[in-house]
Amino acid sequence: MKLDGRRESNNVDDRRGMSGGTVAGLGIGGIVMIALFTFLQGGNLGDVITNVGTQMAQSQNVGTTEGQREFTEEEQKLAQFSSQVLASTEDIWGQVFKQMGRSYTNPKMVLYTGAVQTGCGQGTASVGPFYCSADQTLYIDLSFFTTMRKSLGIKNKGDLDFAFAYVIAHEVGHHVEQQLGILGKAHQQMQRTNKTAANQISVRLELLADYYAGVWGHYENETFQSIDENDLEEAIETAKVIGDNYLQEKAQGYSSPESFTHGTSAQRMRWLKRGLQTGDMSVTTFNGSYEDL
């Protein structure tokens, strides 16, 4: 992805190396994520236990080196790239919303190390990048991209820059959902229904965020010609290997569709590609039956 000379966002809060507070435990979500990454690397149950223990120890010590750590060249490049991608989403979504007769409010992005306090509670690196609607902020520990490069087994041997951009654009997609009133309405519906139905609403939200990531990519490339075929392959392959069915089958040998919260590999690839191809903001994942997503 070509971003050379492009501006960086003014909405980035770099908290790397700062204390995020003591983490009492990872929680089941964090443990599951560590297990998935470990199994994807070919590890066994013993490796999972070791990695969980390591992550807990590291989380307990977040912030003890505040002001002492120097970042590697790769880390600094990732920080700059993330800031440039966020700036691109600001420019693109600002124009898209203007065309819809709406005003777009830029989200913030916090870069952190290990753990961070958010408007939605405490977050940790073990859950990966996430968006908090309470403070309209994306939170990213850049080590996720290093883990992603090493662990997900993506076949394309490129530098994965557009795959990383897709991850950021997906979280910005949730902000777009928030701006359009979709996210809040969906969260209210999830609170009033059973777990299976709530999971299906979650899948619709995640696939829509994938679609909006594609819409961003559509107009980013239309405006700047910054995305080539290899970039597109990277993003589509990334969407495949973070599908619920793919991750569950890698971890446990089978998948449980009723527990899906993000969508299958086929769904994620399909909605991302649809956004990339059309850029059509009239499309939504909340119409039609769940089985037709």
Side-chain angles (χ1 to χ4, degrees):
M1 185 178 184
K2 304 179 184 69
L3 290 177
D4 293 346
R6 298 277 292 278
R7 76 175 184 89
E8 296 183 42
S9 172
N10 294 321
N11 293 301
V12 178
D13 181 1
D14 192 344
R15 303 183 196 171
R16 291 176 296 162
M18 297 174 62
S19 175
T22 302
V23 180
L26 289 175
I28 187 63
I31 292 173
V32 169
M33 287 298 295
I34 292 175
L36 290 174
F37 280 130
T38 303
F39 286 131
L40 283 171
Q41 294 179 82
N44 54 35
L45 182 59
D47 296 321
V48 172
I49 294 172
T50 299
N51 289 342
V52 167
T54 300
Q55 180 64 42
M56 289 183 69
Q58 290 175 345
S59 298
Q60 296 270 346
N61 292 320
V62 168
T64 57
T65 59
E66 182 175 354
Q68 299 177 16
R69 182 176 170 201
E70 293 185 4
F71 300 109
T72 66
E73 181 179 357
E74 179 185 14
E75 289 172 326
Q76 292 297 71
K77 285 183 177 179
L78 280 173
Q80 180 185 29
F81 178 78
S82 299
S83 181
Q84 289 175 314
V85 171
L86 184 63
S88 169
T89 67
E90 293 167 352
D91 296 339
I92 297 300
W93 284 115
Q95 287 298 315
V96 171
F97 270 56
K98 184 176 181 180
Q99 292 170 5
M100 294 190 298
R102 293 173 174 266
S103 178
Y104 180 70
T105 300
N106 295 329
K108 292 182 171 57
M109 180 169 69
V110 171
L111 305 179
Y112 72 96
T113 304
V116 64
Q117 291 292 341
T118 82
C120 300
Q122 189 171 60
T124 66
S126 58
V127 302
F130 61 94
Y131 172 74
C132 172
S133 58
D135 55 19
Q136 299 186 43
T137 301
L138 292 67
Y139 292 88
I140 301 177
D141 183 319
L142 294 177
S143 65
F144 174 83
F145 293 132
T146 302
T147 302
M148 180 177 162
R149 180 181 282 124
K150 293 179 179 178
S151 303
L152 293 185
I154 297 173
K155 295 177 182 178
N156 190 296
K157 298 301 182 181
D159 55 15
L160 299 184
D161 51 359
F162 190 64
F164 296 162
Y166 156 55
V167 171
I168 295 172
H170 171 92
E171 300 307 329
V172 172
H174 286 308
H175 180 67
V176 173
E177 294 172 341
Q178 191 274 339
Q179 294 278 283
L180 295 176
I182 298 169
L183 189 62
K185 182 179 179 180
H187 283 167
Q188 290 176 359
Q189 292 174 337
M190 292 169 72
Q191 293 172 0
R192 295 195 299 263
T193 190
N194 60 55
K195 184 171 180 60
T196 299
N199 284 347
Q200 292 181 356
I201 295 172
S202 176
V203 168
R204 289 182 186 270
L205 282 173
E206 296 299 332
L207 295 180
L208 186 57
D210 280 336
Y211 179 79
Y212 286 154
V215 170
W216 161 76
H218 174 89
Y219 290 109
E220 160 67 26
N221 194 48
E222 184 179 85
T223 305
F224 298 102
Q225 294 77 52
S226 55
I227 302 169
D228 61 26
E229 287 300 319
N230 287 333
D231 292 326
L232 296 176
E233 289 178 13
E234 288 175 3
I236 298 302
E237 187 71 9
T238 300
K240 172 185 174 181
V241 300
I242 58 177
D244 285 326
N245 61 319
Y246 184 96
L247 290 172
Q248 287 187 6
E249 288 165 9
K250 281 287 185 179
Q252 60 191 21
Y254 62 92
S255 61
S256 304
E258 71 280 357
S259 69
F260 291 171
T261 58
H262 285 67
T264 66
S265 295
Q267 288 172 326
R268 300 200 70 168
M269 289 189 291
R270 180 163 59 249
W271 283 98
L272 174 62
K273 285 195 290 187
R274 189 174 180 182
L276 283 165
Q277 291 168 352
T278 69
D280 184 357
M281 285 300 291
S282 69
V283 172
T284 179
T285 57
F286 281 86
N287 289 339
S289 68
Y290 181 75
E291 289 71 22
D292 293 334
L293 286 174

